[in-house]
């Protein structure tokens, strides 16, 4: 289903939401980064959504660190 949404090229937010709800925080960040300009990622809304999802993630500490580092412009210590 995500593949079909991606082909529409208008469902970026929906795809990210589905990934975040499924605890796929890092894949959601990778997807968003691949389809948006760098400036769009720094929006407060995205940062809040990603951090909320990272807090619920099974690999909470790694996900939170990667999200914070990415949005603060620091190169993350882990591959995202």
């Amino acid at each position: 289903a995500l593949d079909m949404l991606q082909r529409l090229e208008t469902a970026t937010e929906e795809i990210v939401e589905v990934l975040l709800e499924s605890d796929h925080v890092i894949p959601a960040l990778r997807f968003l980064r691949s389809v948006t300009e760098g400036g769009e990622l720094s929006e407060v809304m995205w940062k809040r959504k990603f951090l909320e999802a990272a807090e619920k993630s099974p690999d909470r500490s790694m996900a939170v660190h990667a999200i914070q580092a990415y949005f603060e412009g620091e190169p993350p210590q882990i591959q995202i």
Side-chain angles (χ1 to χ4, degrees):
L2 289 177
D3 183 49
M4 293 171 66
L5 283 174
Q6 188 174 4
R7 290 179 191 181
L8 293 174
E9 297 180 7
T10 58
T12 300
E13 187 170 346
E14 289 83 1
I15 293 171
V16 171
E17 291 288 339
V18 168
L19 290 169
L20 291 177
E21 288 173 8
S22 302
D23 291 329
H24 293 89
V25 179
I26 303 299
L29 181 60
R30 283 187 193 130
F31 171 76
L32 186 61
R33 184 176 61 182
S34 74
V35 297
T36 60
E37 297 293 322
E40 294 178 50
L41 287 177
S42 62
E43 293 181 28
V44 175
M45 175 191 72
W46 285 120
K47 184 175 182 180
R48 181 182 49 82
K49 285 183 181 189
F50 273 96
L51 286 174
E52 287 174 357
E55 288 287 333
K56 299 175 194 171
S57 173
D59 4 329
R60 179 186 174 276
S61 61
M62 179 184 74
V64 168
H65 172 73
I67 300 304
Q68 286 178 332
Y70 187 81
F71 281 103
E72 291 172 4
E74 301 171 12
Q77 298 294 324
I78 58 173
Q79 178 89 15
I80 58 170

